[in-house]
Every structure is written in structure tokens, then in C-alpha cells.
Amino acid sequence: KAGVTQTPRYLIKTRGQQVTLSCSPISGHRSVSWYQQTPGQGLQFLFEYFSETQRNKGNFPGRFSGRQFSNSRSEMNVSTLELGDSALYLCASSSTVDGYTFGSGTRLTVV
Amino acid sequence: DQQVKQNSPSLSVQEGRISILNCDYTNSMFDYFLWYKKYPAEGPTFLISISSIKDKNEDGRFTVFLNKSAKHLSLHIVPSQPGDSAVYFCAASEGTGNQFYFGTGTSLTVIP
């Protein structure tokens, strides 16, 4: 079974730009969660989607948004990028059977 | 507000000795806990879990202990091996299938 695929792996953007990250979950997994990892802050929960609906949301500004498609693939968008948005963005898909599986992440650098 | 805390950012242990990684939580409703291991340039991988109906769960060299009254869990690795060098995250949730709250991670270095 293929794992969680995140694209792109690396991304460099300029302040003020916007970015879209993609996550393809494990086949059959309907839940996709997004996390931001920064040094010293651990994994901060962004949001979770289940069957195309946002089910949970963390404490991030409205510049961070996401969506999920009918095939369970999810995208995360960050608008008006700030230097502090530089981080590793991790996506995890889950099912009640398989639990949580993370992708390798997208390393975003904002310059 | 950090509901799951790992107060030791780093830990160094000699190969063959025991590694003990600690994790504290504040939400008494948490009843499902996991440990993840993360190597650089990779996503976290599941290591071991425990539910609040148990106080210990073992899987090979890895044992997780849960002290509900102290809202504390720990991961023991015995014996530690150089390949165990990674960042370890603990996570907690209210039941399975719900949002997980992660700690800030502890970077373990096992010295050969």
C-alpha cells in the first residue's frame, strides 16, 4: 500500500506570496490532518479534513486554509506569506484501522 | 497553550544503556497516547501507543508507561542503539480518531 505523498518536498517563496501544498493520503483513508513543525514548537495542529469537510481547526490565522477533494486528496494554502511561516509542513492520513501515518513533509522557506 | 509537553529538548545516552523520554499533559480528558519517532528529512513514524485503561505497553525494546494521576507518560528504550538516534514526539488525544496534540519533541542521541 502506498504511503502518504506530499508535494513538493521543498519550496522557496518570497514574503507576501501565496503557496499551495498537496497531500495524497493512503488509499482508503478519509481523514487528512495538517501539522506545522518548527524548532522548539513541535508539531502544531493546523486542521483536519474528513470527507471533504473541515472537522477540526487549530489556532492558526486565517491565512492558513485547506480543502479536501472527493478522492480524499488535500491541499493546504498559505496566503501573504511571512518569514515565520518557514517550517516543515506535515500531512497525516488516518483511519480507525490504520491509525495515523505521516508523509515526509514539505519544507517551506520564506525569504 | 501547550497541552502536551516534553520538557527535555535533548537527551544523550550511551549505547546499550536505557533511554527514558518523558512527556506531561494537562488535559485530563486525554485517554489515548502515542509516541512517534522522526528522522531528519522524513515524516514521523508511529512507534508505540497506550490507552488509559493500561499503565504499561511493551513492544520489543520499547515500553511506554502511563501515570494517569500524574498526567505523565514515559518511553523507555532498552537497550539503546545508535539507530535510535532521532527526535521523539509524544501525542495525546481524547479517544481514537480525534485530533492529536503533540509535544515539542526530544532529540535522542545514542552514543556508540
Side-chain angles (χ1 to χ4, degrees):
Chain A
K1 193 186 268 191
V4 178
T5 304
Q6 289 188 248
T7 56
R9 287 296 307 273
Y10 302 93
L11 206 49
I12 300 175
K13 289 286 188 178
T14 306
R15 266 185 308 175
Q17 285 187 310
Q18 76 162 22
V19 67
T20 299
L21 312 181
S22 179
C23 173
S24 293
I26 289 173
S27 176
H29 285 194
R30 294 163 64 191
S31 170
V32 174
S33 299
W34 288 89
Y35 286 84
Q36 180 196 65
Q37 186 193 359
T38 53
Q41 292 295 313
L43 292 162
Q44 301 290 314
F45 175 74
L46 281 152
F47 27 67
E48 182 211 2
Y49 286 87
F50 182 85
S51 294
E52 303 178 66
T53 301
Q54 189 179 84
R55 188 159 69 171
N56 284 299
K57 188 177 189 306
N59 295 322
F60 277 80
R63 300 185 297 107
F64 292 81
S65 63
R67 59 178 175 168
Q68 186 179 35
F69 302 95
S70 58
N71 62 358
S72 293
R73 189 178 72 86
S74 177
E75 287 183 346
M76 190 192 93
N77 185 277
V78 188
S79 62
T80 321
L81 283 165
E82 300 177 359
L83 295 178
D85 297 333
S86 295
L88 179 68
Y89 290 88
L90 289 159
C91 160
S93 76
S94 63
S95 72
T96 52
V97 175
D98 298 332
Y100 240 53
T101 303
F102 281 91
S104 297
T106 295
R107 171 73 63 186
L108 172 64
T109 302
V110 182
V111 297
Chain B
D1 183 35
Q2 197 77 21
Q3 297 193 52
V4 178
K5 299 176 185 179
Q6 294 175 258
N7 293 318
S8 298
S10 62
L11 176 68
S12 289
V13 170
Q14 286 289 136
E15 180 179 3
R17 307 293 290 268
I18 184 172
S19 295
I20 300 176
L21 296 95
N22 294 304
C23 179
D24 298 293
Y25 59 96
T26 57
N27 187 342
S28 58
M29 299 300 291
F30 287 152
D31 58 3
Y32 187 57
F33 306 89
L34 306 96
W35 284 93
Y36 280 83
K37 174 178 173 180
K38 185 181 183 303
Y39 293 115
E42 294 181 17
T45 54
F46 170 75
L47 196 56
I48 192 169
S49 66
I50 189 167
S51 72
S52 60
I53 61 172
K54 300 173 79 171
D55 53 20
K56 176 182 173 182
N57 189 26
E58 234 174 311
D59 184 2
R61 298 185 296 112
F62 302 90
T63 303
V64 56
F65 295 91
L66 176 62
N67 182 332
K68 291 182 286 293
S69 61
K71 296 195 188 71
H72 176 85
L73 65 156
S74 61
L75 174 68
H76 293 210
I77 306 173
V78 185
S80 301
Q81 299 174 354
D84 296 329
S85 297
V87 178
Y88 289 79
F89 292 96
C90 66
S93 75
E94 294 180 40
T96 58
N98 291 317
Q99 176 188 338
F100 279 97
Y101 295 85
F102 282 81
T104 51
T106 296
S107 178
L108 173 66
T109 302
V110 180
I111 304 162

